[in-house]
Amino acid sequence: MKKWLVGVLISGIAVYFLSQNFNINEFERLNGKINWYILPLLFLSNLWAFVPFSIRWYYLLEKKISFRQSLTTSMIGVGLNMILPARGGDVVRLLMNKKDSELPLTHLFSRIFLEKVMDLAAVVLLGAVALFTMGLGQTKNLSLLFVSTAVIISMFVGLGIIKYALEPLRSFFQFLFGLIKKRSLYEEKFDHHLIEFSNFLKGDKLRIPVLYSIPTWVFGYAISYYLAGVLIGMPIRFPETLLFMFLGGLGVAIPSAPSGIGVFHAALISGFLILGRDPGEGLVYATVVHLSQFLITTTLAAVAYLDWKVFQKQEH
């Protein structure tokens, strides 16, 4: 409850600042410009985005769940992320997959950590490609890339330590837990999971999930961003969609609710400013992207939940 309230507060502050700088009349830009025939394509693009996303999750869990379970729980998790702060939908997805696979939560948490590392690396790479493709690689535009890259490097360093320096790491944790008289807790509850995670990183099990990371964003989410512009008759070049996707991905990483409202809009408006475009145009575009994703993903989540419940009954 506290996290939800914090998320609402952050969104509220962002919405307040947006309302002080933009006029509601900006939405008159949409008058007579909505191409309704694009709406089914936008729906299908959001649905399609879940295919590589779910394949990657299926392989991250080493096929311990079926692809159908991976697809339905992924839809439910992403749909709930639109409502819950701090990626609460991902926690629900883990609990559902725990029930489906009987894997321990520590095992699942390590896999979702890998998923987020891959996602962050993918969006930062695509954001860099977009900036340099459009000739916007000035220092003032690279600060977010530098920060994001630093975070990615830190994550990879941590993964490298787990993979190549397991024994010193185990000794460190034993010493650390020993200081608080909880060494037995570490040895009984965490040590074997750390060993298992290290073994997972040493094999070739990451090869397929890594290969699916870029397609998940380019052929899934980026197409949705592009179609949102076509929907409202706003010309958006594909490299621009990659930039907006990068900024939007960083925006929703900030805990806010529901579904990153306010912070997501501010992130995309900053993209319009970087491109030298009208920020009012950016507010309209961000609102359309946000609203369409909210409606489509929550609808898909509701359908997926019904399918998951029916599938569970059939299994039992």
Side-chain angles (χ1 to χ4, degrees):
M1 185 62 180
K2 288 182 179 179
K3 289 183 178 180
W4 192 86
L5 290 175
V6 170
V8 170
L9 178 62
I10 293 173
S11 283
I13 293 172
V15 169
Y16 172 77
F17 281 107
L18 288 173
S19 66
Q20 297 300 303
N21 292 280
F22 296 95
N23 194 310
I24 192 70
N25 293 329
E26 297 285 354
F27 291 93
E28 291 180 358
R29 300 168 186 263
L30 298 178
N31 187 27
K33 292 185 178 179
I34 299 180
N35 301 308
W36 292 107
Y37 66 91
I38 294 296
L39 200 56
L41 295 177
L42 188 58
F43 183 90
L44 289 174
S45 69
N46 276 271
L47 177 60
W48 167 250
F50 281 106
V51 175
F53 184 91
S54 302
I55 292 174
R56 184 180 63 177
W57 186 241
Y58 172 68
Y59 279 99
L60 278 172
L61 293 191
E62 303 175 69
K63 304 180 184 180
K64 297 293 176 60
I65 58 174
S66 67
F67 174 72
R68 179 176 178 176
Q69 290 169 327
S70 177
L71 180 63
T72 54
T73 55
S74 293
M75 287 182 180
I76 294 166
V78 173
L80 288 176
N81 278 339
M82 286 288 179
I83 301 170
L84 303 174
R87 316 299 294 178
D90 288 330
V91 176
V92 174
R93 171 160 56 118
L94 295 185
L95 293 174
M96 296 176 76
N97 287 149
K98 181 180 185 301
K99 183 177 181 181
D100 292 332
S101 65
E102 298 183 353
L103 291 169
L105 272 178
T106 48
H107 180 110
L108 295 168
F109 272 116
S110 67
R111 299 308 186 267
I112 206 163
F113 174 74
L114 287 172
E115 179 187 81
K116 299 312 174 189
V117 172
M118 294 176 194
D119 281 339
L120 182 57
V123 295
V124 170
L125 175 61
L126 293 172
V129 169
L131 283 173
F132 287 104
T133 298
M134 294 183 289
L136 300 169
Q138 300 95 341
T139 302
K140 65 178 182 179
N141 294 331
L142 296 178
S143 56
L144 281 176
L145 287 176
F146 290 147
V147 172
S148 302
T149 301
V151 173
I152 293 173
I153 291 174
S154 300
M155 289 179 172
F156 277 113
V157 168
L159 292 173
I161 292 173
I162 294 173
K163 181 177 180 178
Y164 297 109
L166 177 62
E167 292 308 317
L169 184 63
R170 291 176 66 197
S171 299
F172 171 74
F173 279 127
Q174 288 170 347
F175 169 75
L176 194 63
F177 276 77
L179 291 177
I180 58 174
K181 311 296 185 182
K182 296 291 184 181
R183 178 168 176 164
S184 61
L185 174 66
Y186 165 75
E187 293 177 342
E188 294 173 7
K189 299 293 184 180
F190 299 106
D191 188 58
H192 63 289
H193 293 299
L194 188 63
I195 295 171
E196 186 274 333
F197 188 32
S198 179
N199 291 334
F200 180 82
L201 294 174
K202 290 176 182 176
D204 62 351
K205 298 173 184 177
L206 277 177
R207 179 173 54 85
I208 293 178
V210 168
L211 290 176
Y212 272 97
S213 293
I214 294 294
T216 295
W217 289 91
V218 174
F219 301 115
Y221 303 126
I223 292 176
S224 297
Y225 274 69
Y226 176 77
L227 288 175
V230 179
L231 175 69
I232 57 177
M234 186 178 294
I236 304 289
R237 294 181 297 152
F238 197 72
E240 293 175 336
T241 67
L242 297 180
L243 176 62
F244 298 147
M245 185 178 66
F246 161 65
L247 294 170
L250 294 184
V252 297
I254 300 172
S256 49
S259 65
I261 188 170
V263 292
F264 177 82
H265 297 68
L268 261 62
I269 289 170
S270 70
F272 274 73
L273 291 172
I274 290 173
L275 294 170
R277 298 181 62 162
D278 183 357
E281 188 181 41
L283 175 64
V284 175
Y285 175 72
T287 301
V288 171
V289 172
H290 184 270
L291 182 60
S292 62
Q293 288 188 345
F294 181 88
L295 293 175
I296 292 171
T297 55
T298 52
T299 299
L300 288 173
V303 173
Y305 178 74
L306 292 175
D307 179 73
W308 183 75
K309 291 294 288 184
V310 170
F311 188 58
Q312 288 290 321
K313 288 181 180 179
Q314 289 176 347
E315 283 192 328
H316 292 90

